[in-house]
Amino acid sequence: MIIRRKREIYQNPKFYLMKNVMFSFFVLLSLQSYAQESSPLTLWYKQPAAEVWTDALPIGNGRLGAMIYGNVENELIRLNEHTVWSGGPNRNDNPDALGALPEIRRLIFEGKQKEAEQLAAKTIQSKKSHGQKFQPVGDLKIAFDGHNEFSQYRRELDIEQAISKVSYIVDGVTYTREAIASFADNVIAVHLTASKPGKISFTASMATPQPNSTIAINSENELTISGTTTDHEGVQGQVKFKSLTKIKTLGGSTSSNDSTLMVKDADEATIYIAIATNFNNYKDLAGDENARAQAFMAKGSSKSYDDLLKTNLVDYQKYFNRVSLDLGESEASNVPTDERLKNFRSANDPQLVTLYYQYGRYLLISSSQPGGQPANLQGIWNQQMSPPWDSKYTININAQMNYWPAEKTNLPELHEPFLKMVSEMAEAGEETARVMYDARGWMAHHNTDIWRITGPVDAIFWGIWSGGGAWTSQHMWDHFQYSGDMDYLKSIYPVLKGAAMFYVDFLVEHPDNKWLVVNPGTSPENAPAAHDGSSLDAGTTMDNQLVFDAFSAVIQASEMLGKDQSFADSLRAMRDRLPPMQIGKHGQLQEWLDDIDDPNDHHRHISHLYGLFPSNQISPLRTPELSSAAKNTLIQRGDVSTGWSMGWKVNWWARMLDGNHAYKLIQNQLSPVGSNQGGGGSYNNLFDAHPPFQIDGNFGCTSGITEMLVQSANGEIHLLPALPDVWQEGSITGIRAKGGFEVVELTWKDGKIEKAVIKSTIGGNLRLRVPNSLTLKNEKGLSKASGENANPFYQVPVTAKPIVSPQAKIELPNLGETSVYDLKTEAGETYEFMPNRQ
Ligand code: FUC
């Protein structure tokens, strides 16, 4: 409270004099109780980030990103803008694919995968760009002469308010710095204050790793970086960017030289940063970066920091406050975040889980805003000209994982940049489907970038995967299923249909068993030893699951829209001819068509469990044998893995209804990087560590924690499906479920529901599975569930019966008791459920 009161007073200029007198008093008070007074949803540290980027703290507004180091004497703020990418509009298809396709298919069907791979390397692998690079803009450096000796240092990121703060004392003066990324005005604002007047003196300068750039001071006395991004793999760098930095002070004086702005003896100062590019869309770079940056700066800098802050709180909390999570408190939360991370495995610190959970939502709000680019491999935060994997969009898992929390954690608007990218890939990928595979519809390989390339990326081992269209378009289907918005379904139907259409032409009949299979296909990034290390195969389990989903979405959509019936019928017939899932001799879910999985394979990708999550083709309740096989596979692969793979595993164990195992993975993920014998973990700023930093694991874990508490994928809403022993009491609010439902509140005690409040936005049958028997408060109508769920958003396509190896030992899941109810709901009504204590 003290911190917030301080700001209210501070915001009003009338109080300025009074402020100076009272400020020291407040600061003294507040510093003493800082740890207790700040929101529990705060990352905080006792030391600056110094040189370590993954110690710095991220802010962003979906277009601009900044990493704030909190260094006392030499503050460093590393800047990003969402469209600063190397290269320019380009395609990377390889038209030689088409001629070689029959031969590659024949070789694979004959078991000559290695030969097929060699031929595909020559003919399918791209001879052009393998994707462009997301690049940094540069650094703002702020030097504070004489601040080398300081005390009472604290650095924090308050994710409830989206403010980064630094405070410390030098010579009896308390200095504070706050920074925000304004959503409404598209500037980053850094606000510098001191507890005594006239104490703010610093010099500000810029640096950039961009080679084609200049740094200067313009006629407005703004620090500028003007540049053009670099060429890469034969594609000319064409993104022009402009960064403007302006300083406004209260009191004191400002001056400048060629490349530095100086502030002397001011009472306070605000630094405004605006960045813009010429990027209009993936085909068009005709924008005017100078005019744009100037317009952002003019608007942003016309407002005081406090005005920007006030608006920002509203804009940010509009999203953030929709969900709250309470898993209890403990003493373990009283130390800085980096120490909590070290202690987490041995301490009971449920608030670190809630912090990490909400941090996933904070990061999505900060890196993905409507109209902007989707969060890439590093969200929107990157300091390197050549970041790992170009910080682009790997669409065989990583980019999708970024958006797993979007619908369920009540941020559906933030899904938009990704969904827009899917429609753009659908445009670009039509040519790829036609030129490379003579197929209608559209497809994408395993990576894309800001130019929406859909041709193969990287060596053929990785690049040949063809499921990018099938998987990413499921996000559109999901977005529809959560809202039930029929207009939206109409608008995306062509994209869904195009993704399915590709397979109508691309599937081929397997010569032995007559199944329809993807050939050449892969199970992303893995290869069975039996194929001489070649990843190429026909009818891999994940490919079959993806085609199943691509077809099923169109079949259901065509029913709902009452159109394309004969096309849907043809998809039904083809869907029936896909290979069923198979359970192999080790009791595993087979990754390949043949029973050749190695039970000692610990590969991070377990792509054939796509069917368990994010898809719903496998479930302990509906397909118990397959679920047991999936469990055996998960156990054989082991827990140790890269960060994103841990994030996926949290979701898998949640879907397996095993909360304790899911929690074990959370423990792994919330461990300092390096402590999981070769696996991933977290950096001090709670960024997910592959390692290196990849943001997908943050988002994956936020999704997984939600899946432990609320699921709606399997034909019903399941409350508390995978509660671990450590979270026997808690509450969550605002979680969305398919079919337009919102779990407005869910409170539990001793692992049983105390109260559940569910809102229906579009009506329809609510089928509810819960751990304890419930009654409906003040109302009638709750009945034991019977038959199929009549709600159209809860129709789960029937998974074919698996083929089971005679050697497989399968132990069927032993599931806890649950009650299942049906309730007919009305649009706009809210229903409250209480324990049935009779
Ligand atoms: C895939 C993964 C890697 C990494 C990269 C971005 O290639 O196999 O682990 O996540 O994407």
Side-chain angles (χ1 to χ4, degrees):
M1 270 336 280
I2 289 168
I3 303 294
R4 286 189 195 135
R5 272 214 324 267
K6 182 188 85 186
R7 180 173 313 111
E8 278 153 32
I9 290 170
Y10 205 60
Q11 278 160 3
N12 190 334
K14 274 195 225 150
F15 287 107
Y16 191 72
L17 265 181
M18 186 180 86
K19 179 200 78 180
N20 285 331
V21 181
M22 298 193 60
F23 188 56
S24 330
F25 171 65
F26 273 123
V27 164
L28 270 182
L29 253 181
S30 64
L31 277 177
Q32 266 172 10
S33 49
Y34 214 11
Q36 294 88 327
E37 292 299 338
S38 63
S39 153
L41 293 175
T42 300
L43 291 78
W44 69 279
Y45 308 84
K46 284 183 179 161
Q47 67 288 330
E51 303 289 320
V52 184
W53 189 82
T54 47
D55 277 4
L57 294 169
I59 60 169
N61 64 4
R63 290 178 174 72
L64 303 177
M67 292 291 283
I68 301 178
Y69 281 61
N71 295 345
V72 175
E73 212 182 355
N74 289 298
E75 177 60 292
L76 179 58
I77 299 182
R78 299 226 130 126
L79 300 165
N80 288 102
E81 198 273 356
H82 64 144
T83 61
V84 175
W85 284 68
S86 70
N90 74 96
R91 299 193 60 87
N92 70 334
D93 309 312
N94 188 343
D96 296 342
L98 194 53
L101 199 56
E103 178 65 0
I104 292 168
R105 286 179 162 156
R106 187 184 65 78
L107 288 167
I108 291 174
F109 279 142
E110 285 177 6
K112 296 174 183 158
Q113 283 84 2
K114 199 71 201 175
E115 279 176 55
E117 187 172 307
Q118 282 156 0
L119 180 56
K122 287 192 207 121
T123 54
I124 295 185
Q125 193 167 308
S126 180
K127 302 294 173 271
K128 296 182 173 165
S129 164
H130 289 264
Q132 296 298 315
K133 305 187 276 191
F134 176 55
Q135 296 187 325
V137 172
D139 302 338
L140 170 65
K141 298 174 165 197
I142 319 173
F144 298 87
D145 208 14
H147 285 208
N148 51 335
E149 299 231 333
F150 54 89
S151 60
Q152 301 217 32
Y153 177 87
R154 179 182 163 108
R155 175 168 73 93
E156 68 170 53
L157 178 66
D158 178 338
I159 62 165
E160 211 175 1
Q161 304 192 59
I163 308 176
S164 131
K165 296 180 193 168
V166 177
S167 63
Y168 57 90
I169 295 178
V170 171
D171 288 339
V173 179
T174 301
Y175 292 89
T176 58
R177 297 175 203 155
E178 288 191 5
I180 58 167
S182 156
F183 292 91
D185 292 295
N186 206 12
V187 289
I188 286 169
V190 184
H191 190 53
L192 308 170
T193 58
S195 60
K196 290 186 186 157
K199 285 293 177 186
I200 304 281
S201 298
F202 63 90
T203 59
S205 59
M206 305 291 301
T208 177
Q210 293 278 355
N212 309 319
S213 64
T214 47
I215 295 177
I217 306 271
N218 66 10
S219 55
E220 305 291 310
N221 233 11
E222 293 163 340
L223 265 170
T224 68
I225 308 179
S226 319
T228 305
T229 57
T230 55
D231 305 349
H232 183 51
E233 295 182 340
V235 185
Q236 191 195 347
Q238 293 163 55
V239 176
K240 293 187 185 149
F241 59 92
K242 174 55 77 66
S243 154
L244 300 175
T245 301
K246 186 191 199 82
I247 304 177
K248 284 170 84 176
T249 58
L250 199 61
S253 62
T254 51
S255 57
S256 60
N257 61 24
D258 285 357
S259 57
T260 311
L261 295 178
M262 283 154 282
V263 169
K264 208 164 168 355
D265 304 333
D267 299 327
E268 61 176 72
T270 304
I271 306 176
Y272 299 86
I273 304 161
I275 311 171
T277 73
N278 60 346
F279 183 92
N280 286 336
N281 61 52
Y282 76 105
K283 292 183 276 200
D284 174 5
L285 292 173
D288 180 342
E289 70 283 6
N290 294 310
R292 282 177 181 167
Q294 278 159 19
F296 291 141
M297 181 57 89
K299 188 158 169 258
S301 67
S302 71
K303 300 183 183 171
S304 71
Y305 175 74
D306 290 331
D307 283 346
L308 289 176
L309 183 69
K310 259 189 235 154
T311 315
N312 222 46
L313 270 180
V314 176
D315 292 345
Y316 173 72
Q317 291 186 338
K318 170 181 114 184
Y319 294 119
F320 187 77
N321 289 353
R322 288 177 189 167
V323 169
S324 66
L325 173 63
D326 181 358
L327 298 171
E329 297 172 9
S330 80
E331 290 290 306
S333 67
N334 291 338
V335 297
T337 307
D338 44 348
E339 287 175 40
R340 288 169 78 182
L341 189 62
K342 281 192 200 111
N343 300 340
F344 184 68
R345 216 185 262 274
S346 51
N348 171 32
D349 188 356
Q351 278 172 303
L352 189 62
V353 179
T354 46
L355 178 65
Y356 189 72
Y357 178 78
Q358 292 288 22
Y359 193 46
R361 297 184 66 249
Y362 168 83
L363 292 171
L364 195 65
I365 302 169
S366 307
S367 62
S368 180
Q369 285 286 317
Q373 290 300 311
N376 61 45
L377 270 182
Q378 298 188 182
I380 194 171
W381 299 280
N382 163 43
Q383 64 166 343
Q384 289 167 270
M385 287 295 284
S386 294
W389 295 285
D390 302 331
S391 197
K392 51 187 187 288
Y393 302 100
T394 312
I395 51 174
N396 66 15
I397 171 63
N398 316 86
Q400 287 91 329
M401 187 178 277
N402 286 1
Y403 286 87
W404 287 350
E407 299 295 329
K408 54 187 95 146
T409 81
N410 218 331
L411 303 171
E413 300 94 325
L414 309 189
H415 213 164
E416 190 272 347
F418 184 86
L419 301 174
K420 177 86 185 301
M421 180 168 83
V422 179
S423 37
E424 292 174 343
M425 283 195 293
E427 290 169 7
E430 243 176 51
E431 193 172 326
T432 307
R434 182 169 47 79
V435 169
M436 292 187 64
Y437 304 112
D438 191 24
R440 291 167 296 167
W442 69 280
M443 64 85 66
H445 293 85
H446 94 300
N447 265 257
T448 191
D449 61 11
I450 197 169
W451 313 115
R452 309 304 186 233
I453 54 162
T454 44
V457 163
D458 298 337
I460 205 65
F461 180 97
W462 297 275
I464 200 158
W465 185 73
S466 51
W471 191 347
T472 58
S473 58
Q474 285 297 309
H475 279 246
M476 288 182 158
W477 178 237
D478 248 33
H479 188 63
F480 162 68
Q481 286 202 308
Y482 273 87
S483 72
D485 177 347
M486 292 301 287
D487 289 336
Y488 178 72
L489 180 62
K490 271 183 213 142
S491 73
I492 59 158
Y493 182 75
V495 178
L496 300 180
K497 185 175 174 181
M501 187 67 95
F502 169 69
Y503 290 107
V504 170
D505 290 348
F506 192 58
L507 290 175
V508 286
E509 188 179 88
H510 195 287
D512 301 339
N513 40 42
K514 309 298 172 202
W515 288 323
L516 291 178
V517 293
V518 169
N519 178 14
T522 64
S523 189
E525 312 202 13
N526 201 7
H531 293 170
D532 290 337
S534 165
S535 71
L536 275 58
D537 206 4
T540 68
T541 300
M542 186 205 219
D543 276 338
N544 304 333
Q545 293 170 344
L546 285 171
V547 180
F548 184 90
D549 276 359
F551 284 3
S552 298
V554 175
I555 291 166
Q556 278 181 268
S558 103
E559 268 170 24
M560 287 174 147
L561 295 172
K563 67 191 273 190
D564 263 357
Q565 205 189 322
S566 63
F567 179 62
D569 284 342
S570 66
L571 293 183
R572 276 192 193 90
M574 291 184 85
R575 188 175 64 177
D576 287 345
R577 293 187 58 198
L578 294 171
M581 283 185 260
Q582 304 188 69
I583 299 175
K585 58 181 176 233
H586 305 292
Q588 88 283 14
L589 181 72
Q590 277 180 216
E591 184 163 10
W592 321 95
L593 213 50
D594 298 323
D595 192 357
I596 50 177
D597 300 64
D598 173 0
N600 295 313
D601 174 6
H602 301 304
H603 201 281
R604 62 195 177 283
H605 285 261
I606 320 180
S607 303
H608 44 315
L609 295 194
Y610 164 88
L612 173 65
F613 183 92
S615 185
N616 55 2
Q617 297 168 40
I618 301 172
S619 140
L621 289 155
R622 287 184 301 103
T623 64
E625 275 185 315
L626 282 169
S627 162
S628 296
K631 182 173 174 182
N632 290 338
T633 291
L634 266 178
I635 290 169
Q636 288 161 15
R637 284 289 167 97
D639 292 336
V640 174
S641 46
T642 56
W644 62 259
S645 182
M646 288 175 183
W648 204 347
K649 284 171 184 157
V650 178
N651 290 273
W652 281 324
W653 284 110
R655 283 282 173 93
M656 212 69 91
L657 310 180
D658 187 338
N660 285 338
H661 209 130
Y663 185 72
K664 207 167 154 234
L665 267 301
I666 296 174
Q667 283 180 311
N668 286 0
Q669 200 151 15
L670 274 173
S671 297
V673 57
S675 60
N676 281 317
Q677 318 139 18
S682 294
Y683 293 102
N684 282 336
N685 63 1
L686 300 188
F687 269 176
D688 168 67
H690 180 293
F693 163 51
Q694 251 180 236
I695 205 158
D696 40 18
N698 286 97
F699 296 130
C701 195
T702 293
S703 163
I705 292 167
T706 316
E707 291 280 329
M708 292 164 79
L709 303 174
V710 178
Q711 294 179 14
S712 68
N714 280 298
E716 56 197 16
I717 295 184
H718 193 165
L719 300 181
L720 303 183
L723 200 61
D725 294 344
V726 286
W727 300 344
Q728 287 301 294
E729 191 170 336
S731 68
I732 190 161
T733 65
I735 295 303
R736 288 172 82 237
K738 289 187 177 170
F741 292 109
E742 183 176 324
V743 181
V744 177
E745 185 190 333
L746 172 63
T747 305
W748 66 94
K749 216 175 157 182
D750 299 326
K752 305 279 181 228
I753 293 170
E754 278 288 302
K755 184 177 171 190
V757 182
I758 297 183
K759 180 174 178 184
S760 164
T761 59
I762 56 171
N765 186 54
L766 165 63
R767 177 161 293 180
L768 200 57
R769 183 180 291 272
V770 287
N772 51 310
S773 134
L774 298 180
T775 57
L776 191 57
K777 195 179 173 192
N778 301 334
E779 271 176 272
K780 295 204 169 68
L782 192 63
S783 58
K784 288 269 173 219
S786 67
E788 285 292 301
N789 186 349
N791 190 317
F793 299 97
Y794 286 83
Q795 305 303 308
V796 183
V798 177
T799 304
K801 214 176 142 23
I803 297 176
V804 186
S805 158
Q807 288 151 271
K809 287 199 191 72
I810 288 289
E811 219 174 278
L812 291 181
N814 183 7
L815 302 172
E817 287 282 299
T818 49
S819 304
V820 192
Y821 300 102
D822 276 337
L823 176 69
K824 194 169 168 306
T825 67
E826 301 292 332
E829 293 295 316
T830 298
Y831 302 87
E832 185 173 332
F833 301 86
M834 318 286 289
N836 183 358
R837 307 215 192 261
Q838 286 166 6

